[in-house]
Amino acid sequence: MWMIPPLYKRLSNTIRIFSGSRLYFGKHPNSVPDKSLILFPCLDNRLNCGLVGIVYLKNSQKPEAVFQMPDFKSIEASISQNSYAQCHQTNLSLPTHYLGGDSNIEALMTAARSLKQIDSFQAIYNDQDLQNRLQLLSASLKSSIAEESKSFFHAMGTLSADDAEIISARIEKLKDAAWIIDAEILDNIKKIRSLIRTPDTALSLSAMTPFKNINSVLNSIDRLEVRGRDSAG
C-alpha cells in the first residue's frame, strides 16, 4: 500500500513529460482540467463492460471554425461566360474554355462536396440565407444544364469525337454538382428537420451529428434494392 503514492507520482510525472497530460483516477471528466488522462473515469449514464472505458483522455476543446461559403459566384460566372454558343461564336478551344475549363468544373465539384462535411452542413442548416443562396445556385446550374444539353444535341453531328466527349463529361459534372446541392444538402436539411421535435431550433455540432447519422441510415434503407434471396435484408 505504501508503494502506491510514489508509483502514482512517478507514473504521473512520466505521462506529463511525454504527453503533457495530468493523470487522475476515478474522476468525472467535468471535474478535471483539459489535457487530462483519467484511469477508471466516472461517466454519466454509462456502464462499461470488461476493459472497455478504463481510460479517458480529455483534450482541450477547439473553437468552432467560422463557415464561409465557397466562391460559387466566380465559378458560375466562368460557366455562363464560356457556354458552347459563346465558344463557338468566338472560335475558342472547347477543351480549354468550355464552361471555364476542367479546373473550373473541378472547383465546382470540390466546393459542392465540401458542403457535405458536418461542420459546413451544420452552418447551412442553421442559416436560412445560406440555404437561399444554394437554392439560387441550384437553379442557375439547372438552367446551364438545360441550355448546354440543348446546344450539345443540335451540334452533335458537327463535333469531333473528342469535343463531344468533353462537352458530355462537363455537362455530367454540372448535373452531379446540382444533385449534391439539392439531394445531399437541401433535401437532407428538410429530412433532418422532420426528425426533430422543434425543427426551427438551431443545432450545435454535437446535436447535429446523431441526427445527420440517423438520416444517412434512413436514406440508405430508402435506396436499398430488395429482391430475390436478399429479401431477408
Side-chain angles (χ1 to χ4, degrees):
M1 294 295 294
W2 293 105
M3 293 298 294
I4 293 178
L7 178 62
Y8 167 80
K9 188 174 182 180
R10 288 197 297 270
L11 181 59
S12 179
N13 289 337
T14 301
I15 291 175
R16 188 180 303 181
I17 290 171
F18 285 98
S19 68
S21 301
R22 292 175 176 269
L23 180 64
Y24 295 90
F25 281 91
K27 294 286 187 178
H28 192 282
N30 291 339
S31 67
V32 299
D34 292 337
K35 299 195 70 176
S36 296
L37 182 65
I38 309 172
L39 297 180
F40 304 103
C42 177
L43 301 173
D44 294 330
N45 303 318
R46 184 184 301 178
L47 179 62
N48 294 311
C49 177
L51 297 178
V52 176
I54 65 173
V55 177
Y56 185 97
L57 180 62
K58 181 179 180 180
N59 289 318
S60 57
Q61 297 294 323
K62 296 181 180 179
E64 293 186 6
V66 178
F67 171 73
Q68 291 186 343
M69 184 73 82
D71 186 13
F72 286 114
K73 286 187 177 181
S74 63
I75 296 174
E76 281 184 275
S78 186
I79 289 173
S80 62
Q81 293 166 7
N82 293 276
S83 64
Y84 173 79
Q86 290 162 326
C87 289
H88 181 68
Q89 290 171 4
T90 55
N91 201 28
L92 293 175
S93 167
L94 289 176
T96 303
H97 296 281
Y98 181 60
L99 300 183
D102 280 333
S103 59
N104 191 58
I105 296 299
E106 288 305 319
L108 172 64
M109 289 300 300
T110 300
R113 291 189 186 107
S114 71
L115 302 180
K116 298 192 296 181
Q117 297 176 4
I118 182 62
D119 52 346
S120 301
F121 185 87
Q122 180 235 357
I124 297 169
Y125 180 94
N126 292 329
D127 193 326
Q128 185 61 48
D129 180 61
L130 294 178
Q131 295 172 39
N132 293 339
R133 289 166 60 184
L134 288 179
Q135 288 171 351
L136 291 175
L137 172 62
S138 174
S140 175
L141 290 177
K142 289 175 181 177
S143 176
S144 295
I145 291 167
E147 179 183 348
E148 297 309 311
S149 297
K150 183 178 179 180
S151 297
F152 182 43
F153 176 78
H154 289 301
M156 192 178 298
T158 62
L159 294 169
S160 67
D162 290 341
D163 285 348
E165 184 176 352
I166 288 169
I167 293 175
S168 176
R170 291 183 188 175
I171 292 175
E172 287 302 313
K173 288 288 182 70
L174 289 186
K175 292 179 180 178
D176 289 343
W179 188 88
I180 290 172
I181 293 168
D182 281 341
E184 301 202 39
I185 307 299
L186 297 175
D187 286 353
N188 278 339
I189 287 176
K190 296 177 183 177
K191 292 176 182 178
I192 290 174
R193 281 182 173 157
S194 70
L195 300 173
I196 301 174
R197 181 175 298 177
T198 54
D200 295 330
T201 303
L203 296 181
S204 66
L205 192 61
S206 58
M208 168 66 69
T209 302
F211 285 109
K212 193 170 187 297
N213 291 338
I214 291 171
N215 183 64
S216 296
V217 173
L218 293 176
N219 284 340
S220 298
I221 294 173
D222 186 49
R223 295 174 187 144
L224 188 65
E225 183 178 358
V226 180
R227 64 185 181 184
R229 61 188 177 87
D230 295 331
S231 59

